[in-house]
Amino acid sequence: MNERPVGKKRVRFEPDNIEVMAETGANLLRVAQDAGVYIASSCGGNAVCGTCKVLIKEGNVATTGLDNHLSPEEIRQGYRHACSSHVLTDLTVFIPVESRLERTALTREDADAFEISDGVMGFIAEMGRNQEASPATAIESEMAPADVALEPPRTRPPLAKFFLKMTPPTLEDNVSDLSRILRELKSLYNLINLTVDFDVVKKLPETLRAANWEVTVTTIVTAISPSRAARHRPRVINIEPGDTRDRYYSLAFDIGTTSICGQLLDLNQRKVMAQYTDYNRQIIYGQDVITRIAFSQKTGGLDKLQQAVVSTINGIIRVLLSQCRIALEDVGHFVVAGNTTMIQILFGVSPKYIRLAPYVPTVNFMPPVKAKSLGIEAADHVYIHSLPIVASYIGADIVSGVLASGMHEKETLTLYIDIGTNGQIVLGNSEWMVTAACSAGPAFEGGGITNGMIASGGAIESFEINKETGAPVVRTVNGERPKGICGSGLISIIAGLFKVGIIGQDGKFDMEKNNIRLREGQDGPEYVIAWAPETQTGRDIVITEIDTGNLLRAKAAMYAGFQTLAKSVGVDGRDLEQVIIAGNFGHFIDPEEAITIGLLPDLPVERFTFIGNGSLNGVRLNSYYTDIIDDARKVATMMTNFELSDNTDFTNNYIASLFLPHTQASEFPSVMKWLNGMKVRK
Amino acid sequence: MNERPVGKKRVRFEPDNIEVMAETGANLLRVAQDAGVYIASSCGGNAVCGTCKVLIKEGNVATTGLDNHLSPEEIRQGYRHACSSHVLTDLTVFIPVESRLERTALTREDADAFEISDGVMGFIAEMGRNQEASPATAIESEMAPADVALEPPRTRPPLAKFFLKMTPPTLEDNVSDLSRILRELKSLYNLINLTVDFDVVKKLPETLRAANWEVTVTTIVTAISPSRAARHRPRVINIEPGDTRDRYYSLAFDIGTTSICGQLLDLNQRKVMAQYTDYNRQIIYGQDVITRIAFSQKTGGLDKLQQAVVSTINGIIRVLLSQCRIALEDVGHFVVAGNTTMIQILFGVSPKYIRLAPYVPTVNFMPPVKAKSLGIEAADHVYIHSLPIVASYIGADIVSGVLASGMHEKETLTLYIDIGTNGQIVLGNSEWMVTAACSAGPAFEGGGITNGMIASGGAIESFEINKETGAPVVRTVNGERPKGICGSGLISIIAGLFKVGIIGQDGKFDMEKNNIRLREGQDGPEYVIAWAPETQTGRDIVITEIDTGNLLRAKAAMYAGFQTLAKSVGVDGRDLEQVIIAGNFGHFIDPEEAITIGLLPDLPVERFTFIGNGSLNGVRLNSYYTDIIDDARKVATMMTNFELSDNTDFTNNYIASLFLPHTQASEFPSVMKWLNGMKVRK
């Protein structure tokens, strides 16, 4: 104990047994974050949400702020909120299961990565891109990776590598070093009108001579210029000694509000080498974009948020590189997508006006910038590229997802929907697209729900009433004992309870029902999903009428958004030929249940497709094929965004949607048919 | 004395009375340089040239290196070479006149600036550029500066400012901030396909709102892209609050090996606001490019050279801004020219291969880079642009000078010649151009000449033998008492002595001549130009046979270069319609005298034009008119460079030129006619 620095205290986190030194007075939530211990914190440490509950087993903390989410009993036991606790003495802090954010929750996605990747490759093949390769190239590619530099410019990756074996200069041919390279690029690869980064020039003389005039030139094309010709004019970003064409990698990232998913891509084989997902370290500053934007307005807030996302990205890069034993210098490209707030923060652009009417983003096409200048651990020559942004709440993630879905290439009338705290809707086809965003609130991500949680281990993700016994049957993430309810579980529970009449069309519990699980709780009527002895928390897992109301409002916002958008372009929901559901959350919902509660339009289930992390898939396509850059630009430009916030039609539709499935029975004929049939049976 | 830091000594420089503290052991040449005391140092402090002679009046120095340029008497008196002296004790150091570099030597150029500027304007008018302005604009321009943004893109400055007064966004029109600006630029100014610097985006949201949507957008076009369309695609580099069109300035610099000249330009009025010249602080590392290149190869050498030129530039910028009371942020553009070595060093690119066969420069078109990234004191958004380079010894200064001369626009067969240590020759017209460089040695700049000096106060710049008395009449720079001989003086002296037969066609003194000034000196035959009592140094100013030989070799190199180049393209020297002499040195020579010694071709004097600092004039044109960028590219591309170093024709011509005026009498008919006439008269 004697070696301890003055003013420092020892803080031990259980059950992880991670011990760190912290300054006296340090905020416990920040201490945990710095120690790599993730604690749920929906409100961003503002002592509002009450999700960051921890148990102080040993030592004392100074408590600030309100603790109205803790019962007197919990306070007596030593429970505190991490966000309002400050280190006074050495501490032993226990993080209860329900407060834990575990990285394992994210691994489900990673496991899917390769399968998704194959799917994308299939889709690309379908688009006819591979048909452009000459037969010779196609045969070669079975033996070794094809030389992508020889592919037509529009189908090769935007990052291209060209190997040059040059004749050294003589007195008769003593053009400048750069001219020699440009001359060779023109003669061998028909590359003209290149621009060249200044940094390339600086190291050129030594590189060329040390490499005996055999070098690999790396070029990029970017989506940033509005002129197609300019867009396809390559920029020389690196000149390396020797032939480095076999070391040809790029990074594709989806920057989510909650989690960040990165893939390391081999551009020769156009395949995913590795994928890794981690929580966005911005989480400690707030769980949703609105809280983050608010935090960005504090002194130093934007910098802190930017550093948090960059440190998450850097952590993921390190994992990916070490998994594949690939050197940082061999990664030449970095493409990202994310919602508008995430992209602006990552690039260090204040997101302030995203949440203020009239909701103006700063740019649609973010100019590429050196990744290193943002603090990202990348080689000096690497630029970071973002997919285009459409509006404050229709971000690069949506453009990317739409690209990956291929809806911009087909005449099929398609609804693309990303369900979440900020729901996004795209309607259209290859000819036109309209978009709208609706603030659904955090219910779909377990926020504001008594026993809500994100979809990590132990989260109830589906629910069914056993018709024989009337008892609920639940399925949890990873098959663990129940710990809470995630978004898909919540939909499943409400659909299930609605089907058996425990919840009525108005979302209220029918307390007349003679059901042992139905009871009057602290917050009014509630239904017990799992009894205390069955759960990880040792407490009953319940759903309350308040929870039901929250979900009702969330689903109403999503559906009213779709309804308003469809009406504004004269589309009848029944004419939809395809519904694409994107997002990790969407990946796990049951469309039939979603229709039952009136979240998704009442269509035959075969019209629904789930694409998972569509945003990441689009980023990967952008890394693989140059012409996807044009597509991205086209998609972003053709999207017409409708602002719903002050739209009276939306308000009316929203109110009409606060009902199961909907006040307008005609919107949900199949649900109504079943409902009426059930009533008749009674 | 007690407050003196440990290890520091007080060093006082006379006659300037500048006192500084220096580390014990510090090199005296560096101490002087840091104190702003300029000491001549041809060899760059390598103890070779002996020009940095100083008198240690008080205190002691440790002397290293050879002092074979000092007589035992001088050593006894306390003379030392600054480059080989190290501070041991407090010192009082006297800088003798002949060792001083004075800034006043440079002011002659500055005084000419405005006249030159007018000349350039006349030239531009001649080129018909101003005819494109509408009559209305022309009338307006008499009252107020015309709005250059409204000029046709090809004649306005490459740096353009556009004022926008925008309607704030509404829910109905909430495009991104940047889209709003681009939309307005398109609608008001027909600007399309712009690229935008990332840095602009970062500060955009706050700038727009703080300025109530009234902003000035600054764009540049650059010469760097080989595609004309791409070249004329503007790049948005700055967006400022309010209307800043009246604050519209740029910097034009000529980076000379010896001196650096900067001009501050008002782009609205297209006029020079101020000019300032200073010695290139690289001088302490060597007086010519070869010494500098050698120094750049030492550890940290390139960095030191780069910092030296940048600190000189920064000093000049400070003077220019404070003279005109203009703020740094209002200067939006920075264009430079200079020889290849100077440009590569300024941009931090090693000049190593410039002096190694086959003499390859790194680039012809240096990519623009942020001025600040090179350490230049400029606003964040300012790029530094260099004119194009042709070859290792045909630099941006020659391209710039040719542009300023207008020879690329006329059919007139023109010889463009820049006389100096590195002489450059351009031959051609608007259809074709060939170039060659020849290493003439330092004689034209007073180097290697017993009493040689640069053209600063007291330098003998012209010489004549009074026909009555036979006594020499000299004119000195600033009319001071003679201190030494500069290049133009040397030509004048040799022409004069040749004309009276004191020097023969072989360059030897005719010791038979009965002349009191002709004597046998330490280094052989010499002629006394000025007696000790008349001079500032208190010593005789002489010209020796060795000096004459040095000048002969220098002029032979220049003339042989021209001869070889002319012959290689089948041009007869007599067909030259115009000879343009560039360079500050060239500015002061007498063409008749230069013809007499065989330096310039034997043509009627009316065909000779002196353009002074042509390089700076070209830089200014590049700052004023966008289409000059295309011209610069065209000129640089059309120039075919001939390497003379291993050319046997050149060697033969060189040997034939080591004669006054030339061994081939047919080359100099008018001189020979006069010479033969004189012989006949005898």
Side-chain angles (χ1 to χ4, degrees), chain A residues 171 174 176-179 198 209 230 233 353 358 360-362 364 643 646, chain B residues 171 174 176-179 209 230 233 353 358 360-362 364 643 646:
Chain A
L171 275 179
N174 62 357
S176 72
D177 289 345
L178 187 59
S179 293
F198 174 72
R209 287 159 185 88
R233 180 170 302 125
Y353 299 100
V360 176
T362 302
N364 298 107
E643 282 299 337
D646 282 353
Chain B
L171 276 179
N174 61 357
S176 74
D177 289 344
L178 187 58
S179 293
R209 287 161 184 86
R233 180 169 303 124
Y353 299 100
V360 175
T362 303
N364 298 106
E643 283 299 337
D646 282 353

mmCIF file of all heavy atoms in Angstrom, chain A residues 171 174 176-179 198 209 230 233 353 358 360-362 364 643 646, chain B residues 171 174 176-179 209 230 233 353 358 360-362 364 643 646:
data_model
loop_
_atom_site.group_PDB
_atom_site.id
_atom_site.type_symbol
_atom_site.label_atom_id
_atom_site.label_comp_id
_atom_site.label_asym_id
_atom_site.label_seq_id
_atom_site.Cartn_x
_atom_site.Cartn_y
_atom_site.Cartn_z
ATOM 1 N N LEU A 171 21.403 10.140 -69.475
ATOM 2 C CA LEU A 171 21.521 11.536 -69.911
ATOM 3 C C LEU A 171 20.570 11.808 -71.073
ATOM 4 O O LEU A 171 20.100 12.926 -71.252
ATOM 5 C CB LEU A 171 22.959 11.845 -70.332
ATOM 6 C CG LEU A 171 23.903 12.243 -69.193
ATOM 7 C CD1 LEU A 171 25.294 12.498 -69.726
ATOM 8 C CD2 LEU A 171 23.386 13.481 -68.448
ATOM 9 N N ASN A 174 16.420 11.851 -69.157
ATOM 10 C CA ASN A 174 16.482 12.232 -67.745
ATOM 11 C C ASN A 174 15.285 13.064 -67.315
ATOM 12 O O ASN A 174 15.413 14.099 -66.690
ATOM 13 C CB ASN A 174 17.815 12.915 -67.408
ATOM 14 C CG ASN A 174 18.017 14.202 -68.185
ATOM 15 O OD1 ASN A 174 17.192 14.563 -69.018
ATOM 16 N ND2 ASN A 174 19.093 14.901 -67.899
ATOM 17 N N SER A 176 11.986 13.896 -65.055
ATOM 18 C CA SER A 176 11.900 13.885 -63.591
ATOM 19 C C SER A 176 11.408 12.521 -63.106
ATOM 20 O O SER A 176 10.775 11.770 -63.846
ATOM 21 C CB SER A 176 10.975 14.988 -63.093
ATOM 22 O OG SER A 176 9.633 14.675 -63.387
ATOM 23 N N ASP A 177 11.713 12.227 -61.868
ATOM 24 C CA ASP A 177 11.303 10.945 -61.285
ATOM 25 C C ASP A 177 9.804 10.717 -61.448
ATOM 26 O O ASP A 177 9.358 9.639 -61.840
ATOM 27 C CB ASP A 177 11.644 10.921 -59.784
ATOM 28 C CG ASP A 177 13.144 10.814 -59.538
ATOM 29 O OD1 ASP A 177 13.876 10.481 -60.473
ATOM 30 O OD2 ASP A 177 13.558 11.076 -58.388
ATOM 31 N N LEU A 178 9.044 11.746 -61.143
ATOM 32 C CA LEU A 178 7.592 11.583 -61.198
ATOM 33 C C LEU A 178 7.124 11.415 -62.642
ATOM 34 O O LEU A 178 6.244 10.589 -62.917
ATOM 35 C CB LEU A 178 6.896 12.778 -60.533
ATOM 36 C CG LEU A 178 5.393 12.639 -60.371
ATOM 37 C CD1 LEU A 178 5.028 11.413 -59.539
ATOM 38 C CD2 LEU A 178 4.799 13.885 -59.728
ATOM 39 N N SER A 179 7.719 12.153 -63.559
ATOM 40 C CA SER A 179 7.334 12.019 -64.974
ATOM 41 C C SER A 179 7.575 10.602 -65.472
ATOM 42 O O SER A 179 6.786 10.057 -66.240
ATOM 43 C CB SER A 179 8.130 12.988 -65.836
ATOM 44 O OG SER A 179 7.772 14.307 -65.545
ATOM 45 N N PHE A 198 1.277 15.341 -52.440
ATOM 46 C CA PHE A 198 2.581 15.931 -52.159
ATOM 47 C C PHE A 198 3.480 14.977 -51.368
ATOM 48 O O PHE A 198 4.680 14.867 -51.640
ATOM 49 C CB PHE A 198 2.407 17.248 -51.400
ATOM 50 C CG PHE A 198 3.718 17.826 -50.956
ATOM 51 C CD1 PHE A 198 4.589 18.384 -51.879
ATOM 52 C CD2 PHE A 198 4.108 17.788 -49.627
ATOM 53 C CE1 PHE A 198 5.818 18.897 -51.485
ATOM 54 C CE2 PHE A 198 5.326 18.294 -49.226
ATOM 55 C CZ PHE A 198 6.184 18.856 -50.151
ATOM 56 N N ARG A 209 15.356 4.828 -56.131
ATOM 57 C CA ARG A 209 16.726 4.333 -56.299
ATOM 58 C C ARG A 209 17.003 3.146 -55.382
ATOM 59 O O ARG A 209 17.692 2.198 -55.764
ATOM 60 C CB ARG A 209 17.713 5.485 -56.111
ATOM 61 C CG ARG A 209 17.659 6.428 -57.324
ATOM 62 C CD ARG A 209 18.182 7.813 -57.092
ATOM 63 N NE ARG A 209 17.970 8.632 -58.293
ATOM 64 C CZ ARG A 209 16.869 9.329 -58.557
ATOM 65 N NH1 ARG A 209 15.863 9.318 -57.696
ATOM 66 N NH2 ARG A 209 16.743 10.029 -59.675
ATOM 67 N N ALA A 230 -14.082 13.538 -62.966
ATOM 68 C CA ALA A 230 -13.148 13.872 -61.896
ATOM 69 C C ALA A 230 -13.110 12.750 -60.862
ATOM 70 O O ALA A 230 -12.069 12.443 -60.300
ATOM 71 C CB ALA A 230 -13.556 15.181 -61.236
ATOM 72 N N ARG A 233 -10.815 10.025 -61.826
ATOM 73 C CA ARG A 233 -9.419 10.398 -62.041
ATOM 74 C C ARG A 233 -8.626 9.954 -60.815
ATOM 75 O O ARG A 233 -8.826 10.461 -59.722
ATOM 76 C CB ARG A 233 -9.318 11.914 -62.228
ATOM 77 C CG ARG A 233 -7.906 12.399 -62.469
ATOM 78 C CD ARG A 233 -7.925 13.847 -62.887
ATOM 79 N NE ARG A 233 -8.730 14.016 -64.092
ATOM 80 C CZ ARG A 233 -9.752 14.850 -64.200
ATOM 81 N NH1 ARG A 233 -10.122 15.597 -63.197
ATOM 82 N NH2 ARG A 233 -10.423 14.932 -65.326
ATOM 83 N N TYR A 353 -26.230 21.153 -35.112
ATOM 84 C CA TYR A 353 -27.445 21.548 -35.835
ATOM 85 C C TYR A 353 -28.267 20.365 -36.319
ATOM 86 O O TYR A 353 -29.331 20.540 -36.884
ATOM 87 C CB TYR A 353 -27.073 22.503 -36.970
ATOM 88 C CG TYR A 353 -26.440 23.743 -36.386
ATOM 89 C CD1 TYR A 353 -25.063 23.912 -36.372
ATOM 90 C CD2 TYR A 353 -27.231 24.703 -35.750
ATOM 91 C CE1 TYR A 353 -24.482 25.013 -35.769
ATOM 92 C CE2 TYR A 353 -26.661 25.805 -35.142
ATOM 93 C CZ TYR A 353 -25.282 25.957 -35.152
ATOM 94 O OH TYR A 353 -24.723 27.044 -34.540
ATOM 95 N N PRO A 358 -33.950 23.702 -38.520
ATOM 96 C CA PRO A 358 -34.538 22.702 -39.444
ATOM 97 C C PRO A 358 -33.639 21.498 -39.753
ATOM 98 O O PRO A 358 -33.755 20.950 -40.835
ATOM 99 C CB PRO A 358 -34.789 23.531 -40.696
ATOM 100 C CG PRO A 358 -33.688 24.551 -40.696
ATOM 101 C CD PRO A 358 -33.349 24.819 -39.254
ATOM 102 N N VAL A 360 -30.233 20.507 -40.107
ATOM 103 C CA VAL A 360 -29.353 20.587 -41.278
ATOM 104 C C VAL A 360 -28.021 19.884 -40.985
ATOM 105 O O VAL A 360 -27.333 20.235 -40.033
ATOM 106 C CB VAL A 360 -29.095 22.067 -41.636
ATOM 107 C CG1 VAL A 360 -28.117 22.186 -42.790
ATOM 108 C CG2 VAL A 360 -30.408 22.755 -41.978
ATOM 109 N N PRO A 361 -27.670 18.908 -41.803
ATOM 110 C CA PRO A 361 -26.327 18.333 -41.651
ATOM 111 C C PRO A 361 -25.306 19.278 -42.281
ATOM 112 O O PRO A 361 -25.691 20.186 -43.016
ATOM 113 C CB PRO A 361 -26.405 17.029 -42.447
ATOM 114 C CG PRO A 361 -27.430 17.288 -43.503
ATOM 115 C CD PRO A 361 -28.404 18.311 -42.930
ATOM 116 N N THR A 362 -24.052 19.071 -41.989
ATOM 117 C CA THR A 362 -23.041 19.992 -42.520
ATOM 118 C C THR A 362 -22.706 19.701 -43.975
ATOM 119 O O THR A 362 -22.574 20.621 -44.778
ATOM 120 C CB THR A 362 -21.772 19.941 -41.644
ATOM 121 O OG1 THR A 362 -22.157 20.272 -40.311
ATOM 122 C CG2 THR A 362 -20.715 20.934 -42.104
ATOM 123 N N ASN A 364 -23.190 16.629 -47.372
ATOM 124 C CA ASN A 364 -23.683 15.359 -47.887
ATOM 125 C C ASN A 364 -22.508 14.466 -48.277
ATOM 126 O O ASN A 364 -22.531 13.272 -48.045
ATOM 127 C CB ASN A 364 -24.573 15.577 -49.108
ATOM 128 C CG ASN A 364 -25.797 16.401 -48.764
ATOM 129 O OD1 ASN A 364 -25.896 17.572 -49.124
ATOM 130 N ND2 ASN A 364 -26.710 15.815 -48.030
ATOM 131 N N GLU A 643 -39.333 15.611 -43.940
ATOM 132 C CA GLU A 643 -39.205 15.884 -42.508
ATOM 133 C C GLU A 643 -40.551 15.605 -41.853
ATOM 134 O O GLU A 643 -41.564 16.181 -42.225
ATOM 135 C CB GLU A 643 -38.818 17.353 -42.278
ATOM 136 C CG GLU A 643 -37.352 17.662 -42.525
ATOM 137 C CD GLU A 643 -36.392 16.886 -41.620
ATOM 138 O OE1 GLU A 643 -36.809 16.444 -40.529
ATOM 139 O OE2 GLU A 643 -35.227 16.718 -42.026
ATOM 140 N N ASP A 646 -42.620 18.186 -38.009
ATOM 141 C CA ASP A 646 -43.696 19.170 -37.902
ATOM 142 C C ASP A 646 -44.841 18.859 -38.855
ATOM 143 O O ASP A 646 -45.644 19.719 -39.183
ATOM 144 C CB ASP A 646 -43.140 20.572 -38.198
ATOM 145 C CG ASP A 646 -42.382 21.115 -37.004
ATOM 146 O OD1 ASP A 646 -42.415 20.462 -35.945
ATOM 147 O OD2 ASP A 646 -41.760 22.187 -37.136
ATOM 148 N N LEU B 171 -37.538 24.071 -42.805
ATOM 149 C CA LEU B 171 -37.889 22.652 -42.853
ATOM 150 C C LEU B 171 -38.156 22.214 -44.289
ATOM 151 O O LEU B 171 -37.951 21.061 -44.647
ATOM 152 C CB LEU B 171 -39.121 22.375 -41.989
ATOM 153 C CG LEU B 171 -38.833 22.149 -40.496
ATOM 154 C CD1 LEU B 171 -40.115 21.920 -39.746
ATOM 155 C CD2 LEU B 171 -37.877 20.969 -40.297
ATOM 156 N N ASN B 174 -34.014 22.161 -46.233
ATOM 157 C CA ASN B 174 -32.953 21.922 -45.253
ATOM 158 C C ASN B 174 -31.819 21.064 -45.815
ATOM 159 O O ASN B 174 -31.376 20.106 -45.211
ATOM 160 C CB ASN B 174 -33.514 21.336 -43.948
ATOM 161 C CG ASN B 174 -34.191 19.994 -44.159
ATOM 162 O OD1 ASN B 174 -34.292 19.515 -45.277
ATOM 163 N ND2 ASN B 174 -34.642 19.384 -43.074
ATOM 164 N N SER B 176 -27.950 20.288 -46.810
ATOM 165 C CA SER B 176 -26.776 20.451 -45.947
ATOM 166 C C SER B 176 -26.159 21.826 -46.153
ATOM 167 O O SER B 176 -26.364 22.465 -47.188
ATOM 168 C CB SER B 176 -25.757 19.354 -46.245
ATOM 169 O OG SER B 176 -25.108 19.587 -47.471
ATOM 170 N N ASP B 177 -25.410 22.258 -45.159
ATOM 171 C CA ASP B 177 -24.756 23.568 -45.232
ATOM 172 C C ASP B 177 -23.933 23.703 -46.509
ATOM 173 O O ASP B 177 -24.002 24.717 -47.214
ATOM 174 C CB ASP B 177 -23.828 23.759 -44.020
ATOM 175 C CG ASP B 177 -24.604 23.965 -42.733
ATOM 176 O OD1 ASP B 177 -25.819 24.254 -42.805
ATOM 177 O OD2 ASP B 177 -23.989 23.836 -41.644
ATOM 178 N N LEU B 178 -23.177 22.669 -46.786
ATOM 179 C CA LEU B 178 -22.292 22.764 -47.945
ATOM 180 C C LEU B 178 -23.091 22.761 -49.247
ATOM 181 O O LEU B 178 -22.773 23.502 -50.180
ATOM 182 C CB LEU B 178 -21.279 21.613 -47.933
ATOM 183 C CG LEU B 178 -20.185 21.688 -48.994
ATOM 184 C CD1 LEU B 178 -19.383 22.981 -48.876
ATOM 185 C CD2 LEU B 178 -19.255 20.491 -48.900
ATOM 186 N N SER B 179 -24.153 21.959 -49.302
ATOM 187 C CA SER B 179 -24.986 21.925 -50.509
ATOM 188 C C SER B 179 -25.591 23.294 -50.790
ATOM 189 O O SER B 179 -25.703 23.719 -51.940
ATOM 190 C CB SER B 179 -26.121 20.915 -50.358
ATOM 191 O OG SER B 179 -25.609 19.624 -50.300
ATOM 192 N N ARG B 209 -23.722 30.347 -39.463
ATOM 193 C CA ARG B 209 -24.761 30.879 -38.581
ATOM 194 C C ARG B 209 -24.307 32.165 -37.899
ATOM 195 O O ARG B 209 -25.083 33.100 -37.716
ATOM 196 C CB ARG B 209 -25.194 29.796 -37.589
ATOM 197 C CG ARG B 209 -26.037 28.745 -38.316
ATOM 198 C CD ARG B 209 -26.152 27.427 -37.617
ATOM 199 N NE ARG B 209 -26.895 26.471 -38.452
ATOM 200 C CZ ARG B 209 -26.325 25.703 -39.393
ATOM 201 N NH1 ARG B 209 -25.023 25.750 -39.587
ATOM 202 N NH2 ARG B 209 -27.063 24.880 -40.121
ATOM 203 N N ALA B 230 -9.611 19.584 -65.466
ATOM 204 C CA ALA B 230 -9.384 19.400 -64.036
ATOM 205 C C ALA B 230 -8.677 20.614 -63.450
ATOM 206 O O ALA B 230 -8.946 21.031 -62.328
ATOM 207 C CB ALA B 230 -8.553 18.149 -63.785
ATOM 208 N N ARG B 233 -11.018 23.340 -62.558
ATOM 209 C CA ARG B 233 -12.066 23.012 -61.595
ATOM 210 C C ARG B 233 -11.643 23.609 -60.261
ATOM 211 O O ARG B 233 -10.672 23.189 -59.653
ATOM 212 C CB ARG B 233 -12.201 21.492 -61.489
ATOM 213 C CG ARG B 233 -13.262 21.041 -60.516
ATOM 214 C CD ARG B 233 -13.536 19.567 -60.658
ATOM 215 N NE ARG B 233 -13.924 19.264 -62.021
ATOM 216 C CZ ARG B 233 -13.322 18.388 -62.812
ATOM 217 N NH1 ARG B 233 -12.294 17.708 -62.371
ATOM 218 N NH2 ARG B 233 -13.741 18.179 -64.026
ATOM 219 N N TYR B 353 19.857 14.300 -56.196
ATOM 220 C CA TYR B 353 20.103 13.780 -57.549
ATOM 221 C C TYR B 353 20.208 14.874 -58.606
ATOM 222 O O TYR B 353 20.485 14.592 -59.761
ATOM 223 C CB TYR B 353 19.049 12.726 -57.897
ATOM 224 C CG TYR B 353 19.144 11.586 -56.917
ATOM 225 C CD1 TYR B 353 18.263 11.490 -55.835
ATOM 226 C CD2 TYR B 353 20.180 10.669 -57.010
ATOM 227 C CE1 TYR B 353 18.402 10.485 -54.887
ATOM 228 C CE2 TYR B 353 20.328 9.664 -56.066
ATOM 229 C CZ TYR B 353 19.446 9.572 -55.005
ATOM 230 O OH TYR B 353 19.602 8.586 -54.078
ATOM 231 N N PRO B 358 22.350 11.111 -64.047
ATOM 232 C CA PRO B 358 21.981 11.969 -65.181
ATOM 233 C C PRO B 358 21.114 13.189 -64.800
ATOM 234 O O PRO B 358 20.299 13.608 -65.607
ATOM 235 C CB PRO B 358 21.224 11.018 -66.082
ATOM 236 C CG PRO B 358 20.563 10.058 -65.143
ATOM 237 C CD PRO B 358 21.453 9.954 -63.940
ATOM 238 N N VAL B 360 18.595 14.266 -62.510
ATOM 239 C CA VAL B 360 17.137 14.101 -62.579
ATOM 240 C C VAL B 360 16.474 14.885 -61.452
ATOM 241 O O VAL B 360 16.775 14.660 -60.281
ATOM 242 C CB VAL B 360 16.771 12.602 -62.468
ATOM 243 C CG1 VAL B 360 15.272 12.408 -62.421
ATOM 244 C CG2 VAL B 360 17.374 11.829 -63.629
ATOM 245 N N PRO B 361 15.569 15.790 -61.782
ATOM 246 C CA PRO B 361 14.801 16.438 -60.722
ATOM 247 C C PRO B 361 13.702 15.487 -60.251
ATOM 248 O O PRO B 361 13.424 14.491 -60.921
ATOM 249 C CB PRO B 361 14.199 17.658 -61.419
ATOM 250 C CG PRO B 361 14.063 17.256 -62.852
ATOM 251 C CD PRO B 361 15.160 16.239 -63.127
ATOM 252 N N THR B 362 13.107 15.768 -59.125
ATOM 253 C CA THR B 362 12.094 14.849 -58.598
ATOM 254 C C THR B 362 10.753 15.008 -59.302
ATOM 255 O O THR B 362 10.100 14.025 -59.618
ATOM 256 C CB THR B 362 11.945 15.045 -57.079
ATOM 257 O OG1 THR B 362 13.217 14.857 -56.494
ATOM 258 C CG2 THR B 362 10.962 14.058 -56.479
ATOM 259 N N ASN B 364 8.320 17.693 -62.139
ATOM 260 C CA ASN B 364 8.186 18.884 -62.968
ATOM 261 C C ASN B 364 7.088 19.790 -62.411
ATOM 262 O O ASN B 364 7.214 20.997 -62.401
ATOM 263 C CB ASN B 364 7.834 18.510 -64.407
ATOM 264 C CG ASN B 364 8.928 17.674 -65.047
ATOM 265 O OD1 ASN B 364 8.775 16.479 -65.229
ATOM 266 N ND2 ASN B 364 10.053 18.297 -65.327
ATOM 267 N N GLU B 643 21.313 18.393 -72.388
ATOM 268 C CA GLU B 643 22.332 18.274 -71.354
ATOM 269 C C GLU B 643 23.686 18.579 -71.980
ATOM 270 O O GLU B 643 24.088 17.925 -72.942
ATOM 271 C CB GLU B 643 22.342 16.862 -70.764
ATOM 272 C CG GLU B 643 21.226 16.574 -69.788
ATOM 273 C CD GLU B 643 21.235 17.474 -68.554
ATOM 274 O OE1 GLU B 643 22.291 18.024 -68.190
ATOM 275 O OE2 GLU B 643 20.142 17.632 -67.964
ATOM 276 N N ASP B 646 28.053 16.345 -70.853
ATOM 277 C CA ASP B 646 28.876 15.330 -71.504
ATOM 278 C C ASP B 646 28.895 15.507 -73.020
ATOM 279 O O ASP B 646 29.213 14.573 -73.760
ATOM 280 C CB ASP B 646 28.349 13.924 -71.158
ATOM 281 C CG ASP B 646 28.779 13.521 -69.767
ATOM 282 O OD1 ASP B 646 29.583 14.270 -69.171
ATOM 283 O OD2 ASP B 646 28.307 12.476 -69.290
#
